[in-house]
Amino acid sequence: MRAKESKASKSAFLEETKQLGSDLLTSRSHVNNAPALLSTLSNAKHPSPPRAEALRSLQAFFVSLLRAGKLESGARSVEAAKDGEEPEAVYRMWVWSKYQEFRKTVFRMITEESASALQVEALNTWMDLVRDEKLGEFNNTLYYKLCEATVRCKGSTNDILQLLIKKYFKYCDVRYYTYANLETLISKRLRKNEKGMDTAVSSDEDEEKRSGVRLHAFSRNAYELLSSLPTLSNDEQKSGDDVHELWTHPQDEDRNRESGGKRKNRASSSKTKQSKPTSPKKQKAAFSKAWLAFLRLALPLDTYKKVLGRLHRQVIPHMNNPILLSSSVLYLPVVASVYAPDECSDFLTQSYDVGGLISVMALSSLFILITGHGLEYPDFYNKLYALLEPSIFVAKHRSRFFELLDSCLKSSHLPAYLAAAFAKRLGRLVLSAPPSGSIVVIALIHNILRRHPSVNCLVHRDSSQATTIAAVKDGANVEGITAEEKSDKAVDGKLGADPFRADESDTAKCDALQSSLWEIDTLRRHYCPAVSRFVESLETDLTVRAKTTEMSISDFSSTSYATIFNEEVGRRLKAVPLAFYHTVPSTLFAENCFEGWTFGDVDVTPMKAIEDTKTSNIVVNKETVDAEEDSDEDEDGDEEEGMNEEDDEEENKDSMDDLDSDRDSDDSAGSRSRSEQSDGEDWPGPLKRFRSG
């Protein structure tokens, strides 16, 4: 009963709210219904349906007054009162106060009613007020408050962002003012940090006590809002034509008609203000300023990686002057998202100097600035050389890295020592690389040798010549050394040693030109067939460019164990190796595999007993013969003694022959007896000799 009564009361309350809203919209005499609807809307204890109905009724009431020009601020109402319109002015002031209360309630619903239909309704209402409060003009004052609430939100902003992306970010004026508001908010934040702290950033706890907003949350929310904005297409940027899809544009003519002659001048002046968002140049300028301001924030590590992965694809192509990215002040985070506020430098160049994955991610953007925008970075190749470590083969962005590495080494103006250093460093990495990495390295070295003929000495130089050069450079006396001594590498350990200095970070000092690519020769015997076959591509004379072609690194950079296996399985073989046996083997090893060992059906216990018996018989026979020889010695003399010794040897031979024949017969008898005693058990051949007799 109570549930039914509660449901009935809620239904009655909803009907009452609908009636109040209907009366408010139909007649001015029911204007006092507005405070009642505001009370329903602001009370969070009321159910959602009556609050949503009150929101829609109040929105329709106030928007109609705004479009008719009958809702003005208090200052304008005072001016009207001075002109003799006192009752009307008092009414407008009262309505304006209720409108202000309505705006505050709607804004509170946006920030507090998370993940609900009321929040969506409130956001739509707020954007309608942004469009309709000022005649023919985008009310950025209201929209700035929305952007500020989104960036400073302590919780998730996904619901607000999703609605903005889906419905409002397609309008160019909304995008333009979003960029402008973000730049303003970030600049204020940075100034606040500079005034309130000695260092650029503080810990999360201190920042939360100071302003109630965590710096991490501020940076993440700003990035989410900034990265959600769609950019102008290349066609729109090249054409230079104004973009006329505005949030405020469709209602301009209607408003001019409704407002009358007093508002014509104001409407015409607003058109000049609206010219900013429609210009692609203005859009690009606002886009650039917002991103440059954002990059000055102290970014948490996760956001920092997202930014580096996005710059070269979605930021640099749409900026007015991308070279400014190399001079943006950055507060770099270090490992484990700990800030390093004392380290301030150029954004991309400092990111490239960090090392590891950060440098790999910054390489794409830095390469675009160097090749397309004339950025000078003298230490670029030494930093790139330092990135060639074994961990690069398991890095997340290794495919993009290898493609960029190939592009960076494509210029024919590179010095020979530089190309040789990269070829040698890659060759050294291949010794510990997985098969997929070995294939990429072979392709890279192939392209280096083809593009730079001056480094082909790494392939065709005699090893003794190379080691002699290294020994001379290191101060060893190699005059008078014979060929045998050179082959034995006997000059203080210098000859035969690789002169390449793997631990040298400077490409000009690593002595790569004096070495050779002996590491590639080891791949001929690689355990992976794909690698050993692919290395044969380096056997051709790559200096003859007409007969060779460059390899596309993108075809090999995504190679993995799975792709290599699938390729091997799908290959068509001309000759298939077969495992053929004349007889099915019954043992793991044949008897002739190991000398002194026997394999097969051998029972150790009976054999040992037979050997013991035969050995005792030999001892008894030997004692009997010795006794007879002693008795004959006295009678026959010395000559007969020699004859008896020869007879003894013949008798011993006969007895040993008898022993061998008896052993063979016993073996056959023992095998028959064991087969009879098997009790029907089927023992495998290799295991029969372990079965007890």
Side-chain angles (χ1 to χ4, degrees):
M1 289 295 294
R2 291 181 179 178
K4 291 183 179 179
E5 291 178 358
S6 177
K7 186 176 181 180
S9 62
K10 290 180 181 180
S11 179
F13 184 60
L14 177 61
E15 292 297 328
E16 180 182 357
T17 304
K18 288 182 178 180
Q19 186 62 39
L20 289 174
S22 178
D23 295 341
L24 178 64
L25 296 175
T26 55
S27 175
R28 181 174 175 177
S29 61
H30 297 92
V31 71
N32 288 326
N33 292 351
L37 293 173
L38 282 172
S39 177
T40 302
L41 181 64
S42 59
N43 193 345
K45 297 181 180 179
H46 288 322
S48 296
R51 295 181 68 192
E53 186 64 32
L55 177 62
R56 287 189 287 267
S57 300
L58 289 171
Q59 176 189 357
F61 172 70
F62 288 118
V63 168
S64 62
L65 293 178
L66 289 171
R67 291 181 175 178
K70 297 179 180 180
L71 186 59
E72 297 178 345
S73 63
R76 293 178 183 175
S77 300
V78 172
E79 293 178 359
K82 291 180 179 179
D83 294 337
E85 301 178 5
E86 184 176 352
E88 185 67 21
V90 172
Y91 168 75
R92 291 186 179 183
M93 290 179 62
W94 179 83
V95 174
W96 179 258
S97 65
K98 296 305 175 185
Y99 174 67
Q100 292 289 97
E101 184 180 351
F102 172 70
R103 286 197 320 189
K104 293 179 181 179
T105 304
V106 172
F107 186 75
R108 187 169 60 250
M109 291 172 64
I110 295 174
T111 57
E112 296 178 0
E113 299 287 344
S114 60
S116 65
L118 276 177
Q119 186 185 36
V120 176
E121 289 277 356
L123 183 57
N124 289 328
T125 301
W126 192 264
M127 292 303 296
D128 287 342
L129 298 180
V130 169
R131 178 188 60 191
D132 297 324
E133 186 171 300
K134 293 184 178 181
L135 184 62
E137 185 179 345
F138 191 93
N139 190 351
N140 191 42
T141 304
L142 295 181
Y143 189 64
Y144 178 85
K145 294 184 66 176
L146 178 62
C147 294
E148 184 179 19
T150 304
V151 174
R152 296 184 178 275
C153 180
K154 297 181 182 180
S156 175
T157 60
N158 290 334
D159 300 320
I160 299 177
L161 284 177
Q162 291 302 321
L163 183 59
L164 289 173
I165 294 170
K166 184 178 179 180
K167 189 173 181 180
Y168 299 107
F169 280 168
K170 63 182 180 180
Y171 299 105
C172 70
D173 52 353
V174 176
R175 294 197 302 267
Y176 175 83
Y177 286 108
T178 304
Y179 290 133
N181 293 337
L182 278 174
E183 181 196 359
T184 304
L185 288 168
I186 295 171
S187 300
K188 286 184 178 180
R189 182 72 182 210
L190 292 173
R191 288 195 297 269
K192 189 176 182 180
N193 290 339
E194 292 174 358
K195 293 179 181 179
M197 291 173 287
D198 295 333
T199 56
V201 237
S202 65
S203 63
D204 291 348
E205 292 78 11
D206 295 337
E207 182 65 20
E208 189 169 3
K209 290 178 182 179
R210 291 180 65 254
S211 61
V213 180
R214 296 181 61 182
L215 183 60
H216 285 191
F218 183 89
S219 301
R220 290 190 180 99
N221 293 340
Y223 171 75
E224 293 297 332
L225 183 59
L226 193 57
S227 61
S228 301
L229 290 164
T231 56
L232 292 176
S233 62
N234 293 330
D235 295 337
E236 292 175 341
Q237 295 180 16
K238 292 178 181 179
S239 64
D241 297 334
D242 290 352
V243 182
H244 296 291
E245 192 174 5
L246 301 173
W247 175 239
T248 55
H249 179 70
Q251 283 76 22
D252 284 348
E253 295 181 1
D254 297 337
R255 292 182 180 184
N256 289 336
R257 248 185 261 110
E258 294 175 0
S259 59
K262 293 182 180 180
R263 303 301 178 89
K264 287 184 180 179
N265 295 332
R266 195 181 304 149
S268 61
S269 63
S270 66
K271 290 182 180 180
T272 59
K273 296 180 181 179
Q274 284 294 97
S275 61
K276 284 186 178 180
T278 60
S279 172
K281 292 183 179 180
K282 295 291 184 181
Q283 289 273 337
K284 289 185 67 175
F287 175 87
S288 302
K289 291 179 180 178
W291 271 103
L292 290 175
F294 171 75
L295 294 178
R296 296 177 60 208
L297 285 173
L299 306 178
L301 189 58
D302 56 343
T303 306
Y304 182 47
K305 291 181 179 180
K306 292 179 182 178
V307 170
L308 289 176
R310 188 184 184 90
L311 280 179
H312 67 282
R313 293 181 287 107
Q314 300 176 354
V315 178
I316 292 179
H318 304 287
M319 296 186 71
N320 278 338
N321 189 10
I323 203 70
L324 294 176
L325 286 173
S326 63
S327 59
S328 299
V329 177
L330 168 69
Y331 298 104
L332 284 178
V334 295
V335 181
S337 188
V338 178
Y339 291 108
D342 295 334
E343 298 181 8
C344 305
S345 184
D346 300 343
F347 181 79
L348 287 176
T349 54
Q350 181 68 10
S351 300
Y352 191 58
D353 293 341
V354 171
L357 179 61
I358 299 297
S359 297
V360 173
M361 298 179 70
L363 178 61
S364 300
S365 301
L366 198 59
F367 178 75
I368 293 175
L369 295 183
I370 291 174
T371 58
H373 300 277
L375 175 65
E376 294 183 3
Y377 188 29
D379 208 29
F380 175 78
Y381 281 100
N382 283 337
K383 297 293 183 181
L384 181 62
Y385 182 78
L387 294 179
L388 295 177
E389 298 178 351
S391 59
I392 196 63
F393 295 108
V394 294
K396 182 178 180 181
H397 303 276
R398 59 185 179 275
S399 300
R400 176 65 178 168
F401 172 77
F402 287 128
E403 294 173 11
L404 288 174
L405 177 62
D406 182 65
S407 300
C408 292
L409 300 175
K410 187 174 291 186
S411 175
S412 59
H413 300 289
L414 295 179
Y417 74 86
L418 184 64
F422 276 92
K424 186 62 181 177
R425 185 65 171 256
L426 290 169
R428 190 59 60 90
L429 287 178
V430 84
L431 297 177
S432 59
S436 57
S438 300
I439 292 176
V440 177
V441 168
I442 294 172
L444 287 169
I445 293 178
H446 176 278
N447 290 346
I448 292 174
L449 295 176
R450 185 179 182 276
R451 295 166 184 165
H452 308 281
S454 57
V455 302
N456 273 267
C457 57
L458 298 177
V459 179
H460 300 291
R461 176 186 292 137
D462 185 14
S463 61
S464 61
Q465 180 185 0
T467 53
T468 303
I469 293 174
V472 170
K473 182 177 180 180
D474 291 336
N477 184 12
V478 295
E479 295 182 359
I481 299 176
T482 63
E484 294 180 356
E485 290 174 339
K486 289 182 180 181
S487 62
D488 293 337
K489 309 171 182 62
V491 184
D492 297 331
K494 301 296 183 181
L495 290 179
D498 191 348
F500 175 68
R501 300 178 181 180
D503 56 347
E504 178 60 52
S505 59
D506 191 348
T507 55
K509 300 178 181 179
C510 63
D511 296 336
L513 276 175
Q514 301 173 16
S515 181
S516 63
L517 290 174
W518 58 267
E519 298 92 347
I520 302 301
D521 188 64
T522 62
L523 298 181
R524 298 174 185 272
R525 294 170 293 278
H526 199 276
Y527 71 90
C528 181
V531 177
S532 59
R533 286 195 306 266
F534 191 52
V535 77
E536 295 177 358
S537 62
L538 299 178
E539 295 181 358
T540 59
D541 188 4
L542 298 177
T543 59
V544 184
R545 300 175 62 90
K547 297 182 180 180
T548 58
T549 57
E550 287 191 3
M551 293 185 177
S552 177
I553 302 301
S554 59
D555 297 338
F556 307 101
S557 58
S558 301
T559 305
S560 62
Y561 280 105
T563 57
I564 294 175
F565 178 79
N566 293 333
E567 183 179 356
E568 288 296 319
V569 171
R571 290 182 69 242
R572 298 183 62 182
L573 301 177
K574 296 180 180 179
V576 181
L578 300 176
F580 178 75
Y581 302 97
H582 292 283
T583 59
V584 178
S586 59
T587 58
L588 183 61
F589 301 102
E591 294 184 358
N592 57 354
C593 289
F594 303 95
E595 296 182 0
W597 294 79
T598 58
F599 299 91
D601 300 339
V602 179
D603 196 349
V604 179
T605 304
M607 289 293 296
K608 185 176 182 181
I610 293 172
E611 290 176 359
D612 293 340
T613 303
K614 295 301 182 181
T615 304
S616 62
N617 291 336
I618 293 173
V619 173
V620 172
N621 292 335
K622 187 176 182 181
E623 291 176 354
T624 305
V625 171
D626 292 339
E628 291 177 356
E629 287 177 356
D630 292 337
S631 62
D632 292 337
E633 245 177 11
D634 298 335
E635 296 177 357
D636 295 335
D638 295 334
E639 294 179 0
E640 291 181 358
E641 183 177 355
M643 295 176 62
N644 288 333
E645 289 177 358
E646 293 176 358
D647 294 336
D648 291 339
E649 290 177 359
E650 291 177 0
E651 289 178 1
N652 288 334
K653 290 182 179 179
D654 295 336
S655 62
M656 292 300 294
D657 293 338
D658 295 338
L659 179 62
D660 293 336
S661 61
D662 293 339
R663 181 182 297 174
D664 294 337
S665 61
D666 291 338
D667 290 343
S668 60
S671 61
R672 287 195 301 271
S673 63
R674 286 193 300 273
S675 62
E676 293 174 356
Q677 296 175 2
S678 62
D679 297 333
E681 295 178 356
D682 186 13
W683 286 78
L687 300 179
K688 288 182 179 180
R689 64 190 183 94
F690 297 106
R691 183 176 178 272
S692 62

